[in-house]
Amino acid sequence: MNLKNKVALVTGASAGIGKAIATKFAEHCCNLIITARRVNLIDELSKELTAKYGVRVITIENDIRNFENVKIAFDSIPDELKKIDILVNNAGLARGLSTIQDGDINDWEEMIDTNMKGLLYISRLVLPIMVAKSSGMVINISSIAGRAAYPKGNVYCATKSAVRTISEAMAIDLNGTGVRVCNIDPGMVETEFSLVRFHGDSEKAENVYKQFTPLIGEDIADIALFVATRPGHVMIQDIMVTPTDQATAMVVNRK
Ligand code: NAP
């Protein structure tokens, strides 16, 4: 499948993996709807991608935790771009790293609302469009954290496990509609992820990626591009990708 003149909606495109996927899709002539809360960052990206690749990009300031906000954002998409071909459910975060008995309730709420409810809200609005045109693709960015819990990862791991189950459920419910679903589980990718997890503590965040070579956003974007460009009869359902030095969430070969 060629991405030329297709439309992809990428959530969380202001940084990291989402920004890399939006950029990769634009390189392949895909029109874009990109969303995030930091609208200045997506506006900048939009200008850059339009100038470089001549694609149409619209930006939507959106906090995916609030359904009303998501619905208003969705309704603002111009009709000619509403026929979304690819939905990349990427926006997400980890907040804090603590035992469940010491967990911060606000951190829990933020992860559950963003990673699970936000993903469901936007999917609920986009999927009927795909079903109506008997084609489309959803790429859910879950995590290796969704495959097995790791120490102090508790609620983040649970939200990503939920994303994995939602991906499975989508593939079942959408069977026969022509809409494809892919779940991607990355291991460690160097983005703003750890900075967000540690509430802006850059020293702690940098330590996460020290003494080994982590993945970068472009590595995940390459995979998303491969998934999105398979012929219509091919559905890649599930991918796990880690740095070569990472075997499981916790087994990392640091030199
Ligand atoms: P990142 O650099 O921090 O980017 C996260 C993106 O999500 C940002 O664009 C952020 O935009 C957006 N976002 C967060 N909360 C949001 C909200 N309430 N409403 C709308 N957008 C929101 O992190 P990343 O590593 O690229 O993470 C992308 C996805 O990959 C996440 O789902 C994460 O769980 C997953 N993942 C990451 C890793 C890793 O090691 N980095 C590994 C496995 C899975 P704004 O702040 O501008 O709103």
Side-chain angles (χ1 to χ4, degrees), residues 11-19 35-42 61-66 89-95 110 113-115 141-145 156 159-160 163 184-197 208-209 215 217 220 241 246:
T11 66
S14 59
I17 295 170
K19 181 177 180 181
T35 78
R37 290 165 302 177
R38 289 171 295 173
V39 71
N40 58 319
L41 295 182
I42 50 175
E61 180 179 1
N62 184 223
D63 186 330
I64 58 165
R65 288 174 292 176
N66 178 303
N89 277 319
N90 163 78
L93 80 174
R95 276 287 193 209
E110 189 173 5
D113 288 353
T114 311
N115 300 353
I141 306 296
S142 182
S143 171
I144 193 172
Y156 177 65
T159 63
K160 289 301 181 176
V163 173
I184 301 181
D185 287 341
M188 292 160 99
V189 189
E190 188 163 12
T191 62
E192 293 179 7
F193 179 82
S194 293
L195 194 64
V196 172
R197 163 167 257 171
V208 173
Y209 307 108
L215 297 173
I220 310 304
V241 53
Q246 181 179 22

Side-chain angles (χ1 to χ4, degrees), residues 53-221:
Y53 305 112
V55 290
R56 182 144 182 225
V57 184
I58 65 158
T59 60
I60 302 186
E61 180 179 1
N62 184 223
D63 186 330
I64 58 165
R65 288 174 292 176
N66 178 303
F67 182 70
E68 285 314 308
N69 191 316
V70 173
K71 176 86 171 71
I72 291 167
F74 177 79
D75 288 343
S76 76
I77 299 171
D79 282 346
E80 68 278 13
L81 287 184
K82 258 206 184 120
K83 53 163 202 49
I84 296 159
D85 299 290
I86 304 162
L87 167 64
V88 182
N89 277 319
N90 163 78
L93 80 174
R95 276 287 193 209
L97 192 64
S98 62
T99 58
I100 207 151
Q101 60 273 29
D102 293 325
D104 181 312
I105 301 290
N106 290 329
D107 286 349
W108 291 1
E109 307 274 18
E110 189 173 5
M111 289 187 280
I112 292 167
D113 288 353
T114 311
N115 300 353
M116 292 167 59
K117 290 163 79 176
L119 181 146
L120 287 168
Y121 294 158
I122 189 71
S123 302
R124 177 65 184 82
L125 295 171
V126 174
L127 286 175
I129 294 174
M130 293 182 172
V131 170
K133 63 191 179 76
S134 303
S135 75
M137 175 174 290
V138 183
I139 299 177
N140 290 328
I141 306 296
S142 182
S143 171
I144 193 172
R147 295 194 176 216
Y150 57 76
K152 302 182 178 176
N154 44 65
V155 174
Y156 177 65
C157 296
T159 63
K160 289 301 181 176
S161 183
V163 173
R164 188 169 177 70
T165 302
I166 292 166
S167 298
E168 282 174 21
M170 281 182 176
I172 293 167
D173 291 349
L174 292 164
N175 183 245
T177 65
V179 180
R180 297 177 282 172
V181 183
C182 178
N183 186 81
I184 301 181
D185 287 341
M188 292 160 99
V189 189
E190 188 163 12
T191 62
E192 293 179 7
F193 179 82
S194 293
L195 194 64
V196 172
R197 163 167 257 171
F198 296 120
H199 295 276
D201 184 332
S202 53
E203 201 182 323
K204 264 191 180 172
E206 279 163 23
N207 282 339
V208 173
Y209 307 108
K210 271 192 180 151
Q211 296 168 292
F212 77 105
T213 307
L215 297 173
I216 55 172
E218 286 73 10
D219 295 319
I220 310 304

